[in-house]
Amino acid sequence: MTFTAPETTHYVPKDLPTHIQHFINGEFVGSVSGKTFDVLDPVSNTNYATAAAGQKEDIDLAVAAAREAFVNGPWPKMKPRERARVLNRIADAVEAQEERLAELETFDTGLPITQAKGQALRAAENFRFFADLIVAQFDDAMKVPGSQINYVNRKPIGVAGLITPWNTPFMLESWKLAPALSTGNTVVLKPAEFTPLSASLWAQIFKDAGLPDGVFNLVNGLGEEAGDALVKHPDVPLISFTGETTTGQTIFRNAAANLKGLSMELGGKSPCVVFADADLDAAIDSALFGVFSLNGERCTAGSRILVERAIYDEFCEKYAARAKNIVVGDPHDPKTQVGALVHPEHYEKVASYVEIGKSEGRLLAGGGRPEHLPEGNYIAPTVFADVAPDARIFQEEIFGPVVAITPFENDDEALALANNTKYGLAAYIWTQNLTRAHNFAQNVEAGMVWLNSHNVRDLRTPFGGVKASGLGHEGGYRSIDFYTDQQAVHITL
Ligand code: NAD
């Protein structure tokens, strides 16, 4: 097994903060309690900063500021066009800082630098998209001639609690911030504790763009402390959460007392189904990208590859050869294709699945730490073939560069295998037979399907999963619906 070793040494961005604070009511502040937690970089696994560890009292302050900005501030009452101007300035600022954002994100998360750059641009695009959408927004009016007129009055809801994970943190934050703010809500963001660095950049970006104080508030901290307090706060009517399914279940229970609006984007174990008539080279390219881009730390990763028996051996051989040539190394090196996993705890989890896989499948590539990288959270792209559907590596989300390949005999078996997990986030289907492709899409239990293509999103389309992968949809008008109340007004003529 050979890996190409990138030549650079570990890159540390200039002017890193040594302490990451909350941002409440337009000011950077520490925790009321003075508590902090350590933040590691995933290449050296040393603490490069501490972050304020938000507790209930910090969440109380942030929610009070957001509530005041919602009730008495200008933001919810501004005309859509005025809000859109602010959102477009935010997008411009994100684009202008693309290089800096990418280097910080790469340093904090271990994502390859070339992929982190794309994430910054997607974040800017989210703001532009919702700026356009709110200006073009119109609502229903229903008329019974001579008798009644009814119309819909769309209103922002209040303080939205946004809880985000550590994979592509800045982009995923934008995915919630842009629709929540564009619709006139105020927010409290609780970013993931593994990767708090880039979230604090929003504060200056928003200030410079003219977002009024108190509209955006940021509280760092652990999920069980800051996140929990946000979920339970009575003045936070909405929680938009992205993270693990089990965390989603806890949040669901904790939000019940206050009957909150919930949007849940959860885990996945998505199938990539390759039929014998597929364009094999394109399918292999896509199936590699599907599980090894973003270090495999991608909710929509195609982490189970199902391959029709007639091309199974050829597929496995070609796929494994390509996986072995993936460049693993320092995330900041532009040649790197798989960087360091986010945190030693996550590294241990992924490494343990690699060991489990060795007794559940036939190891074709990878299988642990690359020889040339003795330190840092590196796992070689790992491919297991002949994986049975009851295997743990077939059923459980690994969230790293590890893939299970399983053969199938016919369309019915492919569908049964595809649907044989508790998750239902995405599915990828490769076949030249479009009738089969559309029928498969109809029957596969997945919130999103890509036919002969991969993971390019049109921001207007619904985003979300079924089964244990989520509840509700965001994306385009569905996000506008989640972050607004639609009041029906009836007039008798
Ligand atoms: P996680 O569930 O551990 O944490 C996510 C966020 O929830 C963090 O900010 C964390 O601090 C917070 N949290 C944890 N416990 C909490 C509690 N009791 N109350 C309130 N907040 C709490 O997830 P993670 O490990 O950061 O992220 C990886 C997971 O996210 C994977 O399962 C992945 O599939 C999923 N994900 C899903 C999507 C999607 O769109 N479906 C996108 C990205 C990631």
Side-chain angles (χ1 to χ4, degrees):
M1 195 173 343
T2 53
F3 289 95
T4 315
E7 284 143 19
T8 53
T9 53
H10 183 209
Y11 174 85
V12 179
K14 288 194 183 65
D15 302 324
L16 280 177
T18 52
H19 183 59
I20 298 168
Q21 293 187 295
H22 307 315
F23 185 75
I24 298 177
N25 208 17
E27 303 289 336
F28 281 105
V29 292
S31 288
V32 173
S33 67
K35 285 188 181 161
T36 62
F37 63 94
D38 291 333
V39 190
L40 299 176
D41 85 78
V43 170
S44 71
N45 280 328
T46 50
N47 300 338
Y48 73 86
T50 55
Q55 312 289 310
K56 183 178 176 306
E57 58 267 31
D58 303 294
I59 290 289
D60 286 347
L61 289 174
V63 173
R67 175 97 193 124
E68 172 62 22
F70 185 76
V71 175
N72 294 318
W75 186 252
K77 301 172 197 78
M78 274 163 76
K79 292 195 173 74
R81 173 67 76 195
E82 290 176 65
R83 279 206 297 267
R85 287 199 180 99
V86 177
L87 299 170
N88 279 318
R89 286 199 291 270
I90 292 168
D92 290 344
V94 170
E95 261 173 17
Q97 295 182 41
E98 177 208 349
E99 295 283 332
R100 176 70 176 163
L101 271 166
E103 72 168 7
L104 292 180
E105 196 79 316
T106 286
F107 180 74
D108 204 25
T109 63
L111 282 184
I113 185 74
T114 49
Q115 299 172 26
K117 282 187 186 161
Q119 297 301 316
L121 294 179
R122 283 185 66 189
E125 208 47 38
N126 280 332
F127 277 90
R128 279 196 214 299
F129 174 80
F130 282 103
D132 290 346
L133 210 57
I134 53 162
V135 171
Q137 170 79 35
F138 62 91
D139 290 306
D140 293 333
M142 288 139 279
K143 199 165 159 187
V144 183
S147 162
Q148 203 178 25
I149 297 173
N150 316 283
Y151 68 89
V152 171
N153 196 15
R154 193 180 282 270
K155 304 194 270 189
I157 295 176
V159 180
L162 312 179
I163 303 181
T164 50
W166 48 256
N167 67 318
T168 61
F170 193 78
M171 195 287 289
L172 281 177
E173 288 150 18
S174 76
W175 176 242
K176 298 183 188 305
L177 286 165
L181 294 174
S182 69
T183 43
N185 298 283
T186 61
V187 305
V188 177
L189 169 67
K190 207 303 279 173
E193 54 268 44
F194 282 175
T195 55
L197 182 59
S198 55
S200 54
L201 297 178
W202 289 118
Q204 200 59 49
I205 290 171
F206 288 155
K207 228 183 203 328
D208 293 347
L211 194 75
D213 287 351
V215 173
F216 166 75
N217 303 276
L218 163 73
V219 177
N220 288 294
L222 308 186
E224 299 72 17
E225 297 175 354
D228 184 67
L230 187 57
V231 167
K232 291 177 179 165
H233 201 296
D235 288 339
V236 178
L238 288 179
I239 296 287
S240 175
F241 169 75
T242 300
E244 283 183 15
T245 298
T246 50
T247 313
Q249 288 167 328
T250 305
I251 289 177
F252 203 82
R253 278 193 295 276
N254 290 340
N258 289 300
L259 281 179
K260 300 191 178 212
L262 291 174
S263 174
M264 297 267 171
E265 305 287 2
L266 309 176
K269 191 76 186 177
S270 302
C272 170
V273 186
V274 185
F275 287 92
D277 65 353
D279 174 340
L280 193 58
D281 289 338
I284 287 176
D285 275 349
S286 172
L288 286 160
F289 175 89
V291 73
F292 298 128
S293 60
L294 304 181
N295 297 344
E297 298 163 323
R298 176 195 276 284
C299 56
T300 50
S303 50
R304 295 181 295 140
I305 305 179
L306 311 177
V307 184
E308 193 164 3
R309 179 70 75 185
I311 56 161
Y312 184 71
D313 292 339
E314 183 187 0
F315 182 95
C316 288
E317 192 184 321
K318 288 186 169 165
Y319 188 87
R322 294 275 304 273
K324 286 177 189 171
N325 280 329
I326 289 174
V327 180
V328 187
D330 189 307
H332 192 79
D333 188 317
K335 292 195 289 299
T336 291
Q337 294 168 313
V338 168
L341 299 185
V342 70
H343 192 276
E345 270 173 35
H346 187 59
Y347 171 85
E348 289 303 331
K349 174 186 154 183
V350 176
S352 77
Y353 274 108
V354 171
E355 291 312 309
I356 291 167
K358 289 176 185 169
S359 60
E360 291 186 331
R362 179 163 54 96
L363 181 66
L364 298 184
R369 176 181 286 285
E371 278 167 24
H372 70 282
L373 295 163
E375 308 290 334
N377 306 325
Y378 295 104
I379 300 247
T382 296
V383 181
F384 292 106
D386 310 346
V387 179
D390 60 353
R392 286 187 62 191
I393 61 164
F394 188 98
Q395 292 292 337
E396 297 174 22
E397 185 183 44
I398 300 173
F399 219 56
V402 181
V403 70
I405 310 183
T406 304
F408 66 84
E409 302 294 339
N410 54 43
D411 292 34
D412 287 346
E413 194 190 1
L415 184 66
L417 286 168
N419 289 340
N420 183 355
T421 71
K422 67 175 181 176
Y423 294 108
L425 192 55
Y428 307 86
I429 300 161
W430 288 88
T431 173
Q432 304 276 10
N433 178 340
L434 285 185
T435 302
R436 165 196 274 159
H438 291 296
N439 284 330
F440 202 97
Q442 175 70 33
N443 292 319
V444 72
E445 293 163 357
M448 295 166 285
V449 178
W450 277 269
L451 300 181
N452 297 322
S453 58
H454 63 231
N455 232 300
V456 176
R457 278 208 66 234
D458 179 326
L459 292 179
R460 294 168 298 181
T461 58
F463 187 98
V466 297
K467 304 196 317 195
S469 288
L471 205 63
H473 284 96
E474 296 196 33
Y477 288 112
R478 293 139 211 100
S479 297
I480 302 274
D481 284 346
F482 176 70
Y483 289 105
T484 53
D485 272 331
Q486 295 184 59
Q487 178 189 56
V489 180
H490 308 280
I491 307 154
T492 301
L493 298 175

